[in-house]
Amino acid sequence: MNSSTTLWEYRLQSEDAGQKYLSILKHKFHFSLKVLQHLKEGERVWVDGHFTYLTARGKEGEVLSLQLFAEEETTIEGEDLPLNILYEDDYLLAVNKPVGQVVHPNHRYPCQTLGNAVVGYWQGRGEHRLYRPIHRIDRNTSGVVIIAKNQFSHQQLAWQLERGHIHKRYVGFVQGLLRENSGTIASPIGFAANSFIKRQIRDNGEPARTNYRVLHRYAGVSFLEFTLETGRTHQIRVHCESLGHPLLGDDLYGGDTTLIGRQALHSSVYAFLHPATGLPLVIRAPFPADLKDLLKALKP
């Protein structure tokens, strides 16, 4: 088994007896039909070390083993770039994305992206994988980004994300002093008029909910924690502007750039269930240097 292959194993319990392996994987572990089809076509399913069919029925105590994926070629060019790894195992990679770096290559940013860095890191270890980020954060937002290392992990984490089982926490500095210590902003978001970049509150926009809590109040600045119930583009930035308290440094949404030249927003915590073990996993990203400098500059 090569370095780009992961073996997933499960010992059948009493409630699994008589069930088809296909049914166990689909209903108990939420395997997608696409992943199951790939397993079937690749003959990558074994029971107690012997090849089996997904339609066969299981017995209590059997060990079901799956070779989750083989090598996969990517069209992203690998580059030797710095990569701040927070966590890594056979199923996922968590990194602390720096300010100014785009998550995925595009026509405006074809290189020097997080995708180029991750692919280059894998290639340096002799691994060939597709780049599968679970979510994206803005170029000038720092913090946690999770990358699935195989199709199974991507499908499992996407399933959690769609159902609100992944908890994302951000911290940011906004202009002014909020009266309330906590609250929820539930305003729909859509494109601003005549713009393909800027968003705004719109009655016909997509539903969006942001919860916030004041962590500290400085002179004219509030330090907030945000938890998201939805994941719209620029959600925190737009919702903060709608409160009349834009993020410091966020010139697109009216933020003052005197103390910092980018939106003072950081993806600090990403909590979810591990795609293979089902156990809780919490990824935390420390502050980057510019936010540490901002803290020093703020007056009590």
Side-chain angles (χ1 to χ4, degrees):
M1 191 172 296
N2 58 49
S3 60
S4 293
T5 301
T6 300
L7 191 66
W8 181 91
E9 293 186 330
Y10 169 66
R11 184 177 296 277
L12 271 65
Q13 306 300 305
S14 57
E15 66 268 19
D16 304 316
Q19 299 281 336
K20 293 181 180 179
Y21 301 123
L22 178 68
S23 179
I24 295 171
L25 294 172
K26 181 180 178 181
H27 298 294
K28 194 167 190 176
F29 296 102
H30 314 294
F31 275 68
S32 69
L33 291 176
K34 185 176 181 180
V35 171
L36 291 171
Q37 184 65 29
H38 285 175
L39 290 170
K40 176 183 176 182
E41 292 174 352
E43 296 188 352
R44 291 181 276 150
V45 184
W46 299 273
V47 168
D48 293 338
H50 302 286
F51 169 74
T52 189
Y53 293 99
L54 286 171
T55 52
R57 297 183 182 275
K59 298 178 182 178
E60 181 181 358
E62 288 179 332
V63 176
L64 179 64
S65 304
L66 310 176
Q67 184 183 346
L68 290 178
F69 70 107
E71 292 192 346
E72 300 173 296
E73 296 298 331
T74 180
T75 58
I76 296 176
E77 182 178 349
E79 298 180 48
D80 185 12
L81 300 171
L83 197 62
N84 186 351
I85 296 175
L86 301 170
Y87 176 88
E88 184 178 16
D89 61 21
D90 289 340
Y91 295 88
L92 57 91
L93 173 69
V95 302
N96 188 0
K97 187 190 79 66
V99 175
Q101 189 175 56
V102 174
V103 171
H104 203 287
N106 57 47
H107 69 283
R108 291 186 62 194
Y109 302 97
C111 59
Q112 302 285 306
T113 72
L114 182 61
N116 299 115
V118 169
V119 171
Y121 166 68
W122 284 335
Q123 289 175 347
R125 305 202 310 180
E127 301 176 9
H128 301 275
R129 304 177 185 274
L130 288 181
Y131 175 61
R132 294 183 170 101
I134 300 303
H135 65 120
R136 301 188 187 195
I137 57 178
D138 293 341
R139 178 171 66 91
N140 285 327
T141 297
S142 55
V144 180
V145 175
I146 307 294
I147 300 105
K149 295 179 70 172
N150 56 56
Q151 185 186 34
F152 164 78
S153 296
H154 184 265
Q155 179 258 310
Q156 291 286 303
L157 292 172
W159 185 89
Q160 291 186 49
L161 190 63
E162 290 169 2
R163 287 156 180 79
H165 297 164
I166 291 180
H167 301 283
K168 295 174 286 184
R169 191 179 309 159
Y170 292 75
V171 290
F173 298 85
V174 302
Q175 293 173 209
L177 302 179
L178 278 75
R179 293 182 180 181
E180 303 296 330
N181 289 326
S182 62
T184 298
I185 312 166
S187 301
I189 295 175
F191 278 104
N194 304 316
S195 177
F196 292 104
I197 298 175
K198 190 174 181 180
R199 269 68 170 177
Q200 66 179 181
I201 302 301
R202 299 181 65 101
D203 291 338
N204 62 349
E206 295 183 290
R209 288 179 65 88
T210 302
N211 303 307
Y212 66 88
R213 180 168 65 95
V214 177
L215 299 178
H216 195 82
R217 291 180 175 89
Y218 297 91
V221 174
S222 298
F223 180 33
L224 305 184
E225 176 186 81
F226 305 95
T227 54
L228 304 183
E229 295 184 32
T230 54
R232 309 304 177 201
T233 300
H234 295 183
Q235 178 172 320
I236 294 174
R237 300 167 67 185
V238 174
H239 276 171
C240 285
E241 181 193 40
S242 74
L243 285 181
H245 297 279
L247 287 160
L248 288 183
D250 192 358
D251 58 351
L252 184 62
Y253 293 101
D256 186 350
T257 59
T258 303
L259 294 177
I260 188 169
R262 58 100 172 184
Q263 64 260 19
L265 185 64
H266 180 68
S267 173
S268 60
V269 179
Y270 207 84
F272 53 97
L273 300 180
H274 191 280
T277 67
L279 297 175
L281 184 61
V282 179
I283 308 295
R284 304 179 189 275
F287 266 18
D290 64 344
L291 290 186
K292 290 179 180 178
D293 291 340
L294 175 61
L295 273 174
K296 293 177 183 177
L298 293 175
K299 298 178 180 180

PDB file of all heavy atoms in Angstrom, residues 134-163:
ATOM      1  N   ILE A 134     -12.202  21.932   2.484  1.00  0.00           N
ATOM      2  CA  ILE A 134     -13.585  21.768   2.927  1.00  0.00           C
ATOM      3  C   ILE A 134     -14.326  23.095   2.881  1.00  0.00           C
ATOM      4  O   ILE A 134     -15.532  23.154   2.667  1.00  0.00           O
ATOM      5  CB  ILE A 134     -13.621  21.182   4.361  1.00  0.00           C
ATOM      6  CG1 ILE A 134     -12.921  19.826   4.385  1.00  0.00           C
ATOM      7  CG2 ILE A 134     -15.061  21.044   4.856  1.00  0.00           C
ATOM      8  CD1 ILE A 134     -13.514  18.805   3.408  1.00  0.00           C
ATOM      9  N   HIS A 135     -13.615  24.173   3.070  1.00  0.00           N
ATOM     10  CA  HIS A 135     -14.228  25.498   3.086  1.00  0.00           C
ATOM     11  C   HIS A 135     -13.179  26.509   2.653  1.00  0.00           C
ATOM     12  O   HIS A 135     -11.998  26.178   2.515  1.00  0.00           O
ATOM     13  CB  HIS A 135     -14.736  25.852   4.491  1.00  0.00           C
ATOM     14  CG  HIS A 135     -13.631  25.986   5.493  1.00  0.00           C
ATOM     15  ND1 HIS A 135     -13.372  27.143   6.191  1.00  0.00           N
ATOM     16  CD2 HIS A 135     -12.686  25.098   5.895  1.00  0.00           C
ATOM     17  CE1 HIS A 135     -12.335  26.963   6.986  1.00  0.00           C
ATOM     18  NE2 HIS A 135     -11.902  25.731   6.830  1.00  0.00           N
ATOM     19  N   ARG A 136     -13.606  27.718   2.401  1.00  0.00           N
ATOM     20  CA  ARG A 136     -12.677  28.775   2.021  1.00  0.00           C
ATOM     21  C   ARG A 136     -12.841  29.967   2.965  1.00  0.00           C
ATOM     22  O   ARG A 136     -13.926  30.178   3.504  1.00  0.00           O
ATOM     23  CB  ARG A 136     -12.939  29.232   0.578  1.00  0.00           C
ATOM     24  CG  ARG A 136     -12.814  28.118  -0.445  1.00  0.00           C
ATOM     25  CD  ARG A 136     -12.882  28.658  -1.851  1.00  0.00           C
ATOM     26  NE  ARG A 136     -12.918  27.592  -2.841  1.00  0.00           N
ATOM     27  CZ  ARG A 136     -12.689  27.765  -4.139  1.00  0.00           C
ATOM     28  NH1 ARG A 136     -12.406  28.964  -4.597  1.00  0.00           N
ATOM     29  NH2 ARG A 136     -12.739  26.741  -4.975  1.00  0.00           N
ATOM     30  N   ILE A 137     -11.762  30.691   3.133  1.00  0.00           N
ATOM     31  CA  ILE A 137     -11.839  31.979   3.831  1.00  0.00           C
ATOM     32  C   ILE A 137     -11.226  33.031   2.904  1.00  0.00           C
ATOM     33  O   ILE A 137     -10.454  32.702   1.998  1.00  0.00           O
ATOM     34  CB  ILE A 137     -11.128  31.957   5.202  1.00  0.00           C
ATOM     35  CG1 ILE A 137      -9.657  31.544   5.065  1.00  0.00           C
ATOM     36  CG2 ILE A 137     -11.854  31.024   6.155  1.00  0.00           C
ATOM     37  CD1 ILE A 137      -8.895  31.558   6.392  1.00  0.00           C
ATOM     38  N   ASP A 138     -11.599  34.273   3.105  1.00  0.00           N
ATOM     39  CA  ASP A 138     -11.148  35.353   2.228  1.00  0.00           C
ATOM     40  C   ASP A 138      -9.624  35.461   2.207  1.00  0.00           C
ATOM     41  O   ASP A 138      -8.940  35.085   3.168  1.00  0.00           O
ATOM     42  CB  ASP A 138     -11.729  36.689   2.689  1.00  0.00           C
ATOM     43  CG  ASP A 138     -13.241  36.761   2.528  1.00  0.00           C
ATOM     44  OD1 ASP A 138     -13.789  35.958   1.750  1.00  0.00           O
ATOM     45  OD2 ASP A 138     -13.865  37.605   3.194  1.00  0.00           O
ATOM     46  N   ARG A 139      -9.118  36.029   1.130  1.00  0.00           N
ATOM     47  CA  ARG A 139      -7.668  36.180   0.961  1.00  0.00           C
ATOM     48  C   ARG A 139      -7.040  36.910   2.146  1.00  0.00           C
ATOM     49  O   ARG A 139      -5.970  36.532   2.627  1.00  0.00           O
ATOM     50  CB  ARG A 139      -7.386  36.943  -0.338  1.00  0.00           C
ATOM     51  CG  ARG A 139      -5.915  37.202  -0.614  1.00  0.00           C
ATOM     52  CD  ARG A 139      -5.702  37.760  -2.013  1.00  0.00           C
ATOM     53  NE  ARG A 139      -6.289  39.091  -2.137  1.00  0.00           N
ATOM     54  CZ  ARG A 139      -5.621  40.226  -1.895  1.00  0.00           C
ATOM     55  NH1 ARG A 139      -4.359  40.186  -1.489  1.00  0.00           N
ATOM     56  NH2 ARG A 139      -6.211  41.388  -2.050  1.00  0.00           N
ATOM     57  N   ASN A 140      -7.704  37.959   2.641  1.00  0.00           N
ATOM     58  CA  ASN A 140      -7.134  38.738   3.742  1.00  0.00           C
ATOM     59  C   ASN A 140      -7.720  38.394   5.102  1.00  0.00           C
ATOM     60  O   ASN A 140      -7.646  39.198   6.035  1.00  0.00           O
ATOM     61  CB  ASN A 140      -7.289  40.233   3.453  1.00  0.00           C
ATOM     62  CG  ASN A 140      -6.297  40.709   2.407  1.00  0.00           C
ATOM     63  OD1 ASN A 140      -5.184  40.193   2.330  1.00  0.00           O
ATOM     64  ND2 ASN A 140      -6.699  41.658   1.585  1.00  0.00           N
ATOM     65  N   THR A 141      -8.312  37.205   5.200  1.00  0.00           N
ATOM     66  CA  THR A 141      -8.680  36.635   6.499  1.00  0.00           C
ATOM     67  C   THR A 141      -7.684  35.525   6.803  1.00  0.00           C
ATOM     68  O   THR A 141      -7.384  34.708   5.935  1.00  0.00           O
ATOM     69  CB  THR A 141     -10.109  36.078   6.489  1.00  0.00           C
ATOM     70  OG1 THR A 141     -11.030  37.134   6.244  1.00  0.00           O
ATOM     71  CG2 THR A 141     -10.456  35.412   7.813  1.00  0.00           C
ATOM     72  N   SER A 142      -7.170  35.516   7.998  1.00  0.00           N
ATOM     73  CA  SER A 142      -6.198  34.490   8.398  1.00  0.00           C
ATOM     74  C   SER A 142      -6.899  33.360   9.143  1.00  0.00           C
ATOM     75  O   SER A 142      -8.045  33.494   9.556  1.00  0.00           O
ATOM     76  CB  SER A 142      -5.122  35.114   9.293  1.00  0.00           C
ATOM     77  OG  SER A 142      -5.725  35.771  10.409  1.00  0.00           O
ATOM     78  N   GLY A 143      -6.192  32.242   9.303  1.00  0.00           N
ATOM     79  CA  GLY A 143      -6.690  31.197  10.193  1.00  0.00           C
ATOM     80  C   GLY A 143      -6.912  29.835   9.589  1.00  0.00           C
ATOM     81  O   GLY A 143      -6.374  29.493   8.524  1.00  0.00           O
ATOM     82  N   VAL A 144      -7.724  29.039  10.284  1.00  0.00           N
ATOM     83  CA  VAL A 144      -7.887  27.617  10.007  1.00  0.00           C
ATOM     84  C   VAL A 144      -8.521  27.361   8.644  1.00  0.00           C
ATOM     85  O   VAL A 144      -9.551  27.946   8.298  1.00  0.00           O
ATOM     86  CB  VAL A 144      -8.764  26.949  11.089  1.00  0.00           C
ATOM     87  CG1 VAL A 144      -8.926  25.459  10.782  1.00  0.00           C
ATOM     88  CG2 VAL A 144      -8.178  27.137  12.476  1.00  0.00           C
ATOM     89  N   VAL A 145      -7.886  26.468   7.881  1.00  0.00           N
ATOM     90  CA  VAL A 145      -8.484  25.888   6.680  1.00  0.00           C
ATOM     91  C   VAL A 145      -8.254  24.376   6.753  1.00  0.00           C
ATOM     92  O   VAL A 145      -7.151  23.925   7.048  1.00  0.00           O
ATOM     93  CB  VAL A 145      -7.868  26.450   5.384  1.00  0.00           C
ATOM     94  CG1 VAL A 145      -8.442  25.727   4.155  1.00  0.00           C
ATOM     95  CG2 VAL A 145      -8.115  27.952   5.268  1.00  0.00           C
ATOM     96  N   ILE A 146      -9.320  23.610   6.497  1.00  0.00           N
ATOM     97  CA  ILE A 146      -9.253  22.149   6.540  1.00  0.00           C
ATOM     98  C   ILE A 146      -9.236  21.597   5.118  1.00  0.00           C
ATOM     99  O   ILE A 146     -10.059  21.985   4.286  1.00  0.00           O
ATOM    100  CB  ILE A 146     -10.462  21.555   7.297  1.00  0.00           C
ATOM    101  CG1 ILE A 146     -10.597  22.193   8.690  1.00  0.00           C
ATOM    102  CG2 ILE A 146     -10.329  20.032   7.411  1.00  0.00           C
ATOM    103  CD1 ILE A 146      -9.478  21.881   9.628  1.00  0.00           C
ATOM    104  N   ILE A 147      -8.293  20.692   4.857  1.00  0.00           N
ATOM    105  CA  ILE A 147      -8.192  20.054   3.544  1.00  0.00           C
ATOM    106  C   ILE A 147      -8.353  18.554   3.704  1.00  0.00           C
ATOM    107  O   ILE A 147      -7.647  17.923   4.511  1.00  0.00           O
ATOM    108  CB  ILE A 147      -6.831  20.354   2.874  1.00  0.00           C
ATOM    109  CG1 ILE A 147      -6.650  21.871   2.670  1.00  0.00           C
ATOM    110  CG2 ILE A 147      -6.709  19.628   1.547  1.00  0.00           C
ATOM    111  CD1 ILE A 147      -5.711  22.510   3.630  1.00  0.00           C
ATOM    112  N   ALA A 148      -9.292  17.966   2.975  1.00  0.00           N
ATOM    113  CA  ALA A 148      -9.477  16.517   2.997  1.00  0.00           C
ATOM    114  C   ALA A 148      -8.385  15.863   2.157  1.00  0.00           C
ATOM    115  O   ALA A 148      -8.052  16.354   1.072  1.00  0.00           O
ATOM    116  CB  ALA A 148     -10.856  16.142   2.451  1.00  0.00           C
ATOM    117  N   LYS A 149      -7.860  14.740   2.625  1.00  0.00           N
ATOM    118  CA  LYS A 149      -6.769  14.081   1.915  1.00  0.00           C
ATOM    119  C   LYS A 149      -7.232  12.947   1.014  1.00  0.00           C
ATOM    120  O   LYS A 149      -6.413  12.325   0.348  1.00  0.00           O
ATOM    121  CB  LYS A 149      -5.728  13.576   2.922  1.00  0.00           C
ATOM    122  CG  LYS A 149      -5.039  14.706   3.665  1.00  0.00           C
ATOM    123  CD  LYS A 149      -4.021  14.208   4.672  1.00  0.00           C
ATOM    124  CE  LYS A 149      -2.808  13.597   4.026  1.00  0.00           C
ATOM    125  NZ  LYS A 149      -1.756  13.285   5.020  1.00  0.00           N
ATOM    126  N   ASN A 150      -8.528  12.685   1.010  1.00  0.00           N
ATOM    127  CA  ASN A 150      -9.069  11.687   0.087  1.00  0.00           C
ATOM    128  C   ASN A 150     -10.557  11.947  -0.131  1.00  0.00           C
ATOM    129  O   ASN A 150     -11.160  12.772   0.553  1.00  0.00           O
ATOM    130  CB  ASN A 150      -8.826  10.260   0.596  1.00  0.00           C
ATOM    131  CG  ASN A 150      -9.381  10.036   1.978  1.00  0.00           C
ATOM    132  OD1 ASN A 150     -10.562  10.245   2.245  1.00  0.00           O
ATOM    133  ND2 ASN A 150      -8.516   9.613   2.905  1.00  0.00           N
ATOM    134  N   GLN A 151     -11.117  11.239  -1.083  1.00  0.00           N
ATOM    135  CA  GLN A 151     -12.518  11.449  -1.444  1.00  0.00           C
ATOM    136  C   GLN A 151     -13.453  11.119  -0.294  1.00  0.00           C
ATOM    137  O   GLN A 151     -14.449  11.815  -0.059  1.00  0.00           O
ATOM    138  CB  GLN A 151     -12.857  10.584  -2.660  1.00  0.00           C
ATOM    139  CG  GLN A 151     -14.266  10.804  -3.201  1.00  0.00           C
ATOM    140  CD  GLN A 151     -14.606   9.824  -4.294  1.00  0.00           C
ATOM    141  OE1 GLN A 151     -14.160   8.674  -4.270  1.00  0.00           O
ATOM    142  NE2 GLN A 151     -15.383  10.266  -5.270  1.00  0.00           N
ATOM    143  N   PHE A 152     -13.145  10.086   0.452  1.00  0.00           N
ATOM    144  CA  PHE A 152     -13.972   9.692   1.586  1.00  0.00           C
ATOM    145  C   PHE A 152     -14.030  10.802   2.632  1.00  0.00           C
ATOM    146  O   PHE A 152     -15.099  11.187   3.097  1.00  0.00           O
ATOM    147  CB  PHE A 152     -13.425   8.400   2.206  1.00  0.00           C
ATOM    148  CG  PHE A 152     -13.948   8.114   3.581  1.00  0.00           C
ATOM    149  CD1 PHE A 152     -15.217   7.596   3.753  1.00  0.00           C
ATOM    150  CD2 PHE A 152     -13.174   8.362   4.707  1.00  0.00           C
ATOM    151  CE1 PHE A 152     -15.710   7.323   5.030  1.00  0.00           C
ATOM    152  CE2 PHE A 152     -13.653   8.089   5.976  1.00  0.00           C
ATOM    153  CZ  PHE A 152     -14.922   7.571   6.133  1.00  0.00           C
ATOM    154  N   SER A 153     -12.863  11.334   3.016  1.00  0.00           N
ATOM    155  CA  SER A 153     -12.821  12.389   4.025  1.00  0.00           C
ATOM    156  C   SER A 153     -13.579  13.622   3.557  1.00  0.00           C
ATOM    157  O   SER A 153     -14.302  14.258   4.332  1.00  0.00           O
ATOM    158  CB  SER A 153     -11.372  12.760   4.336  1.00  0.00           C
ATOM    159  OG  SER A 153     -10.681  11.680   4.915  1.00  0.00           O
ATOM    160  N   HIS A 154     -13.421  13.957   2.290  1.00  0.00           N
ATOM    161  CA  HIS A 154     -14.115  15.119   1.748  1.00  0.00           C
ATOM    162  C   HIS A 154     -15.625  14.930   1.832  1.00  0.00           C
ATOM    163  O   HIS A 154     -16.360  15.835   2.248  1.00  0.00           O
ATOM    164  CB  HIS A 154     -13.685  15.354   0.300  1.00  0.00           C
ATOM    165  CG  HIS A 154     -14.273  16.590  -0.302  1.00  0.00           C
ATOM    166  ND1 HIS A 154     -15.425  16.558  -1.047  1.00  0.00           N
ATOM    167  CD2 HIS A 154     -13.872  17.885  -0.247  1.00  0.00           C
ATOM    168  CE1 HIS A 154     -15.709  17.792  -1.452  1.00  0.00           C
ATOM    169  NE2 HIS A 154     -14.794  18.608  -0.974  1.00  0.00           N
ATOM    170  N   GLN A 155     -16.095  13.752   1.452  1.00  0.00           N
ATOM    171  CA  GLN A 155     -17.526  13.479   1.487  1.00  0.00           C
ATOM    172  C   GLN A 155     -18.056  13.493   2.913  1.00  0.00           C
ATOM    173  O   GLN A 155     -19.121  14.057   3.197  1.00  0.00           O
ATOM    174  CB  GLN A 155     -17.811  12.133   0.813  1.00  0.00           C
ATOM    175  CG  GLN A 155     -19.264  11.718   0.815  1.00  0.00           C
ATOM    176  CD  GLN A 155     -19.547  10.662   1.877  1.00  0.00           C
ATOM    177  OE1 GLN A 155     -18.859   9.661   1.965  1.00  0.00           O
ATOM    178  NE2 GLN A 155     -20.569  10.891   2.674  1.00  0.00           N
ATOM    179  N   GLN A 156     -17.313  12.903   3.848  1.00  0.00           N
ATOM    180  CA  GLN A 156     -17.751  12.861   5.240  1.00  0.00           C
ATOM    181  C   GLN A 156     -17.817  14.262   5.866  1.00  0.00           C
ATOM    182  O   GLN A 156     -18.782  14.605   6.554  1.00  0.00           O
ATOM    183  CB  GLN A 156     -16.793  11.985   6.057  1.00  0.00           C
ATOM    184  CG  GLN A 156     -16.857  10.508   5.722  1.00  0.00           C
ATOM    185  CD  GLN A 156     -18.117   9.848   6.266  1.00  0.00           C
ATOM    186  OE1 GLN A 156     -18.394   9.884   7.455  1.00  0.00           O
ATOM    187  NE2 GLN A 156     -18.884   9.240   5.382  1.00  0.00           N
ATOM    188  N   LEU A 157     -16.807  15.080   5.613  1.00  0.00           N
ATOM    189  CA  LEU A 157     -16.785  16.421   6.179  1.00  0.00           C
ATOM    190  C   LEU A 157     -17.807  17.333   5.496  1.00  0.00           C
ATOM    191  O   LEU A 157     -18.423  18.182   6.152  1.00  0.00           O
ATOM    192  CB  LEU A 157     -15.380  17.011   6.075  1.00  0.00           C
ATOM    193  CG  LEU A 157     -14.334  16.315   6.960  1.00  0.00           C
ATOM    194  CD1 LEU A 157     -12.933  16.830   6.657  1.00  0.00           C
ATOM    195  CD2 LEU A 157     -14.648  16.516   8.432  1.00  0.00           C
ATOM    196  N   ALA A 158     -18.004  17.154   4.195  1.00  0.00           N
ATOM    197  CA  ALA A 158     -19.030  17.930   3.494  1.00  0.00           C
ATOM    198  C   ALA A 158     -20.412  17.590   4.037  1.00  0.00           C
ATOM    199  O   ALA A 158     -21.279  18.468   4.171  1.00  0.00           O
ATOM    200  CB  ALA A 158     -18.954  17.658   1.992  1.00  0.00           C
ATOM    201  N   TRP A 159     -20.630  16.320   4.371  1.00  0.00           N
ATOM    202  CA  TRP A 159     -21.908  15.880   4.959  1.00  0.00           C
ATOM    203  C   TRP A 159     -22.145  16.589   6.289  1.00  0.00           C
ATOM    204  O   TRP A 159     -23.240  17.066   6.568  1.00  0.00           O
ATOM    205  CB  TRP A 159     -21.881  14.370   5.146  1.00  0.00           C
ATOM    206  CG  TRP A 159     -23.170  13.774   5.639  1.00  0.00           C
ATOM    207  CD1 TRP A 159     -24.215  13.330   4.884  1.00  0.00           C
ATOM    208  CD2 TRP A 159     -23.552  13.546   7.005  1.00  0.00           C
ATOM    209  NE1 TRP A 159     -25.224  12.852   5.683  1.00  0.00           N
ATOM    210  CE2 TRP A 159     -24.850  12.964   6.991  1.00  0.00           C
ATOM    211  CE3 TRP A 159     -22.934  13.764   8.231  1.00  0.00           C
ATOM    212  CZ2 TRP A 159     -25.520  12.614   8.163  1.00  0.00           C
ATOM    213  CZ3 TRP A 159     -23.604  13.425   9.397  1.00  0.00           C
ATOM    214  CH2 TRP A 159     -24.883  12.851   9.352  1.00  0.00           C
ATOM    215  N   GLN A 160     -21.097  16.679   7.112  1.00  0.00           N
ATOM    216  CA  GLN A 160     -21.223  17.385   8.390  1.00  0.00           C
ATOM    217  C   GLN A 160     -21.478  18.873   8.176  1.00  0.00           C
ATOM    218  O   GLN A 160     -22.301  19.488   8.865  1.00  0.00           O
ATOM    219  CB  GLN A 160     -19.949  17.207   9.219  1.00  0.00           C
ATOM    220  CG  GLN A 160     -19.714  15.803   9.737  1.00  0.00           C
ATOM    221  CD  GLN A 160     -18.512  15.749  10.667  1.00  0.00           C
ATOM    222  OE1 GLN A 160     -18.381  16.544  11.594  1.00  0.00           O
ATOM    223  NE2 GLN A 160     -17.612  14.809  10.426  1.00  0.00           N
ATOM    224  N   LEU A 161     -20.772  19.460   7.211  1.00  0.00           N
ATOM    225  CA  LEU A 161     -20.905  20.884   6.956  1.00  0.00           C
ATOM    226  C   LEU A 161     -22.315  21.244   6.502  1.00  0.00           C
ATOM    227  O   LEU A 161     -22.916  22.221   6.966  1.00  0.00           O
ATOM    228  CB  LEU A 161     -19.886  21.312   5.898  1.00  0.00           C
ATOM    229  CG  LEU A 161     -19.697  22.806   5.663  1.00  0.00           C
ATOM    230  CD1 LEU A 161     -19.166  23.491   6.914  1.00  0.00           C
ATOM    231  CD2 LEU A 161     -18.741  23.035   4.492  1.00  0.00           C
ATOM    232  N   GLU A 162     -22.874  20.431   5.615  1.00  0.00           N
ATOM    233  CA  GLU A 162     -24.221  20.685   5.090  1.00  0.00           C
ATOM    234  C   GLU A 162     -25.277  20.624   6.183  1.00  0.00           C
ATOM    235  O   GLU A 162     -26.307  21.298   6.096  1.00  0.00           O
ATOM    236  CB  GLU A 162     -24.550  19.673   3.993  1.00  0.00           C
ATOM    237  CG  GLU A 162     -23.755  19.865   2.709  1.00  0.00           C
ATOM    238  CD  GLU A 162     -23.921  18.699   1.754  1.00  0.00           C
ATOM    239  OE1 GLU A 162     -24.690  17.760   2.098  1.00  0.00           O
ATOM    240  OE2 GLU A 162     -23.288  18.722   0.684  1.00  0.00           O
ATOM    241  N   ARG A 163     -25.033  19.828   7.210  1.00  0.00           N
ATOM    242  CA  ARG A 163     -26.020  19.637   8.278  1.00  0.00           C
ATOM    243  C   ARG A 163     -25.727  20.474   9.524  1.00  0.00           C
ATOM    244  O   ARG A 163     -26.357  20.298  10.560  1.00  0.00           O
ATOM    245  CB  ARG A 163     -26.099  18.152   8.635  1.00  0.00           C
ATOM    246  CG  ARG A 163     -26.806  17.352   7.539  1.00  0.00           C
ATOM    247  CD  ARG A 163     -26.416  15.889   7.538  1.00  0.00           C
ATOM    248  NE  ARG A 163     -27.116  15.172   6.470  1.00  0.00           N
ATOM    249  CZ  ARG A 163     -26.751  15.212   5.187  1.00  0.00           C
ATOM    250  NH1 ARG A 163     -25.692  15.919   4.824  1.00  0.00           N
ATOM    251  NH2 ARG A 163     -27.434  14.552   4.269  1.00  0.00           N
TER     252      ARG A 163
END
